[in-house]
Amino acid sequence: MSGCFLPARLSKTGSKLSKRFSFGSSKKLHVDPNEKNGLVVCFGEMLIDFVPMEAGVSLAEAPGFKKAAGGAPANVAVGISRLGGSAAFIGKVGNDEFGRMLADILIKNNVDNSGMRFDSNARTALAFVTLRADGEREFMFFRNPSADMLLREAELDVHLIKKASIFHYGSISLIDEPCRSAHLAAMDIAKKSGSILSYDPNLRLPLWPSAEAARKGIMSIWNQADIIKISEEEITFLTEGADAYDDNVVLEKLFHPKIKLLLVTEGSNGCRYYTQEFKGKVGGVKVDCVDTTGAGDAFVGGVLNSLAADLNLYKDEKKLREALLFANACGALTVTEKGAIPALPTKQAVLQILPK
């Protein structure tokens, strides 16, 4: 089996959020909009992943598929909620059975879905995921266009965005209009209301018109983010072939003066971290890898859940390392099951698998 990793130990992190909310399809959080209460608002796509029941075969050869909710920003929102945090999702799905199913999944996972919109003229996006023998993925998307691409600025839940302690997003929502303009407007609202901006580019090259368009689009909002999570492969892509393992490459080409925390995930080898004051690496321990779908999102959810409970976490290296160990565990547990959202762990599950 391919080796995926869990952290060797887990120190106790800061206190978790204790305030819980009950969400419904049209309910708002009953929070003073002038206060920040650890809410993480995730913006972008939510879709249906079809994952083969058998690894190492092509889509044509797959004997069957397991249907699972997916979409990186939605995965992160559910990941945070599963860990006991407070999360909301903003995005658009089709006014169809899949779209309504996704909205219900958010409710069942205690994620505020009041920022979701439904499009009667476009379908919910679908993605067929090929699992190679080593558990890595290849994607085939059905978006021509899908509802997530059609979110308009006028449809944004401004009230919800302003309540975010952290506003998290990816780059897929930057590819097409009108969603790109809605994305940029949402970032502006969040920034002006004092939210921390969190960015995971989540490169999906087949969705972009070209590699150059992807590079330009992803980097167009790079310097606005306070927190960025990026993979080794994305470093190589964005720097056009530079050594992803070279700290100088990261610091010279991707670090920017206003960034609070830059995280580089190394899959089975853990992660690296860079702040204005220090840098380092957190490793892990092996687990059996079944499906890597959602592992990065689980990691991000783990990080943002800890950060939402302590917004100054990135300033304390000891606390940061503890949070990253926990986040590595979240990612590793996710690869032991098929699909993204179904595999995202609870805090209790993470603690149970770690050495005492």
Side-chain angles (χ1 to χ4, degrees), residues 24 42 48 53 59 87 89 116 149 211 247 258-259 263 283 296 328 337:
C42 301
I48 303 290
M53 300 299 291
L59 291 176
F89 173 75
M116 286 186 80
M149 302 160 65
D247 283 348
K258 296 181 181 179
I259 199 167
L263 297 169
N328 280 350
E337 296 181 33

Side-chain angles (χ1 to χ4, degrees), residues 69-81:
N75 293 344
V76 172
V78 173
I80 291 166
S81 183

Side-chain angles (χ1 to χ4, degrees), residues 219-269:
M219 296 306 296
S220 68
I221 59 170
W222 195 265
N223 290 343
Q224 297 178 55
D226 299 301
I227 299 168
I228 298 174
K229 172 262 178 185
I230 191 170
S231 69
E232 301 160 282
E233 295 83 1
E234 288 165 341
I235 292 176
T236 301
F237 174 76
L238 292 174
T239 60
E240 300 188 65
D243 184 359
Y245 299 95
D246 187 340
D247 283 348
N248 291 326
V249 168
V250 175
L251 292 171
E252 292 171 11
K253 294 182 178 291
L254 299 174
F255 205 76
H256 65 78
K258 296 181 181 179
I259 199 167
K260 293 178 170 64
L261 176 63
L262 176 62
L263 297 169
V264 178
T265 53
E266 297 185 351
S268 61
N269 293 318

Side-chain angles (χ1 to χ4, degrees), residues 46-113:
M46 189 174 191
L47 47 85
I48 303 290
D49 285 333
F50 287 95
V51 184
M53 300 299 291
E54 181 180 332
V57 299
S58 68
L59 291 176
E61 295 168 334
F65 297 87
K66 180 180 178 180
K67 178 186 65 184
N75 293 344
V76 172
V78 173
I80 291 166
S81 183
R82 287 259 176 95
L83 294 171
S86 178
F89 173 75
I90 293 178
K92 201 172 196 182
V93 294
N95 187 18
D96 51 39
E97 288 194 26
F98 282 144
R100 290 187 288 274
M101 182 192 89
L102 293 175
D104 287 343
I105 285 172
L106 292 181
I107 294 172
K108 289 174 183 175
N109 283 281
N110 293 320
V111 173
D112 180 351
N113 70 356

Side-chain angles (χ1 to χ4, degrees), residues 120-185:
S120 297
N121 299 312
R123 296 296 188 190
T124 301
L126 307 179
F128 285 82
V129 188
T130 301
L131 293 180
R132 302 201 309 253
D134 62 359
E136 287 297 330
R137 307 149 297 155
E138 295 174 357
F139 295 87
M140 179 186 292
F141 294 95
F142 287 78
R143 305 167 83 235
N144 294 300
S146 53
D148 60 288
M149 302 160 65
L150 302 177
L151 181 68
R152 294 176 287 110
E153 181 178 345
E155 295 176 304
L156 292 174
D157 189 331
V158 175
H159 180 71
L160 182 59
I161 296 170
K162 286 182 176 180
K163 289 186 292 190
S165 291
I166 302 170
F167 183 72
H168 176 73
Y169 48 87
S171 70
I172 290 175
S173 45
L174 294 172
I175 298 174
D176 295 286
E177 291 290 358
C179 190
R180 174 180 167 81
S181 291
H183 180 145
L184 297 177

